[in-house]
Amino acid sequence: MIEFHQVSKVFESNGNKVEALKNINLTVEKGDIFGVIGFSGAGKSTLIRTVNLLEYPTSGKVIVEGKNLAKLSQYEIREAKKDIGMVFQHFNLLNSKTVFHNVAMPLLLSGYNKKAIENQVYETLRFVGLEEKAKNYPDQLSGGQKQRVGIARALTTNPSILLCDEATSALDPETTKSILNLLKRINEEYNITILMITHEMKVIKEICNRVAVMEDGQIIETGNVYNVFAHP
Ligand code: ADP
Ligand code: ADP
């Protein structure tokens, strides 16, 4: 579960202030596939990035599985972040490392032993359907395969929350469908709560159960997908 309580974020650049988030209140329940939709510049990316402290709120608080990460020690933040996977629009893979190594990275950084890493990485690669690509490099993969690697990397630490930042926006419609199906399986089979941001209505309609509509740093509407999009 993720709770946003009166979250605001102000960016200052060259003397200009941008209010990217204005007093956001929002609850993402355990097991949700929660979509946040809005135009470019609405504040979606800033919002999702406050969940794993890639951005700190200027005021207000974000509670993740009962914890306010911003109040924890550096060690506790590292531990808490293992519970939050993140998937990016442009995959953010290390091109000089194999698929195996990319997926192993979060576990290597956490000091797991070699055998445990190998088991976990292969199990996760099997789950996303890329076991046979373990020794390949990202350059040798299609966009959809790269995103599967990104998803596998996000899952290796067995998180309870998955954040998706425009995860399908760089992919063609067919590939988008297969990645959305994979996200749905992750939600159903591992009971992982998914918070995703997108500017594409069809993505929300395809897999989300709940949605928030963002505009100019605010949430202007929220509810279940059917109700929010049922009226003109
Ligand atoms: P979205 O993801 O909906 O496109 P963003 O969260 O990226 O929106 O941006 C919201 C607003 O905050 C925009 O006006 C953007 O220019 C501004 N913004 C985002 N990040 C920064 C930053 N690091 N510094 C200054 N302004 C920023
Ligand atoms: P546990 O938390 O005790 O590992 P789970 O039911 O969560 O039990 O996991 C069962 C098995 O599935 C474990 O071996 C675990 O490593 C694996 N697993 C759990 N979540 C994921 C995931 N998101 N991706 C890949 N494998 C996973």
Side-chain angles (χ1 to χ4, degrees):
M1 180 167 163
I2 308 168
E3 298 160 79
F4 299 86
H5 295 281
Q6 301 185 326
V7 174
S8 295
K9 175 70 181 183
V10 180
F11 289 110
E12 296 213 40
S13 53
N14 337 318
N16 287 334
K17 282 191 180 181
V18 178
E19 278 186 271
L21 301 176
K22 301 171 184 168
N23 200 29
I24 299 284
N25 291 294
L26 186 69
T27 300
V28 178
E29 302 285 353
K30 180 143 193 66
D32 271 348
I33 303 185
F34 197 112
V36 177
I37 189 163
F39 293 119
S40 177
K44 306 182 296 295
S45 184
T46 306
L47 179 74
I48 204 171
R49 289 161 62 87
T50 62
V51 176
N52 59 357
L53 294 187
L54 292 178
E55 299 289 358
Y56 281 75
T58 308
S59 62
K61 58 189 177 182
V62 183
I63 309 290
V64 184
E65 309 289 25
K67 283 178 278 205
N68 181 351
L69 266 54
K71 295 277 188 227
L72 302 180
S73 68
Q74 287 306 312
Y75 171 78
E76 291 168 321
I77 289 174
R78 270 202 304 280
E79 286 302 303
K81 278 188 173 185
K82 289 182 198 164
D83 199 37
I84 311 171
M86 190 162 190
V87 179
F88 303 90
Q89 178 173 4
H90 298 293
F91 325 124
N92 296 13
L93 302 177
L94 299 170
N95 287 317
S96 62
K97 302 285 186 188
T98 62
V99 165
F100 177 92
H101 207 112
N102 269 280
V103 175
M105 196 55 85
L107 300 173
L108 288 166
L109 294 173
S110 309
Y112 284 69
N113 76 57
K114 213 176 147 209
K115 196 71 209 160
I117 291 178
E118 202 168 300
N119 288 339
Q120 182 64 13
V121 170
Y122 275 102
E123 184 174 332
T124 313
L125 283 176
R126 213 172 300 132
F127 178 75
V128 303
L130 279 185
E131 202 183 1
E132 76 284 6
K133 299 287 185 192
K135 296 188 169 70
N136 286 85
Y137 287 84
D139 286 350
Q140 301 168 310
L141 305 179
S142 69
Q145 290 172 333
K146 284 183 197 168
Q147 193 55 296
R148 284 171 191 272
V149 177
I151 290 170
R153 178 186 54 193
L155 292 179
T156 37
T157 54
N158 284 333
S160 68
I161 291 171
L162 184 65
L163 306 175
C164 301
D165 187 344
E166 300 277 2
T168 57
S169 299
L171 305 173
D172 63 62
E174 259 328 283
T175 312
T176 292
K177 254 204 161 90
S178 79
I179 294 295
L180 293 178
N181 283 336
L182 178 60
L183 293 176
K184 200 168 184 129
R185 275 180 59 214
I186 289 165
N187 172 257
E188 286 170 357
E189 293 176 31
Y190 293 120
N191 195 25
I192 292 177
T193 305
I194 298 181
L195 174 59
M196 56 194 302
I197 65 169
T198 181
H199 62 278
E200 293 180 295
M201 183 85 91
K202 68 173 193 300
V203 166
I204 302 271
K205 285 186 168 167
E206 188 88 21
I207 64 163
C208 294
N209 64 312
R210 291 181 58 78
V211 63
V213 183
M214 268 193 101
E215 197 178 286
D216 193 23
Q218 292 173 303
I219 288 174
I220 57 167
E221 182 141 16
T222 174
N224 75 48
V225 169
Y226 180 79
N227 289 341
V228 168
F229 294 131
H231 55 79

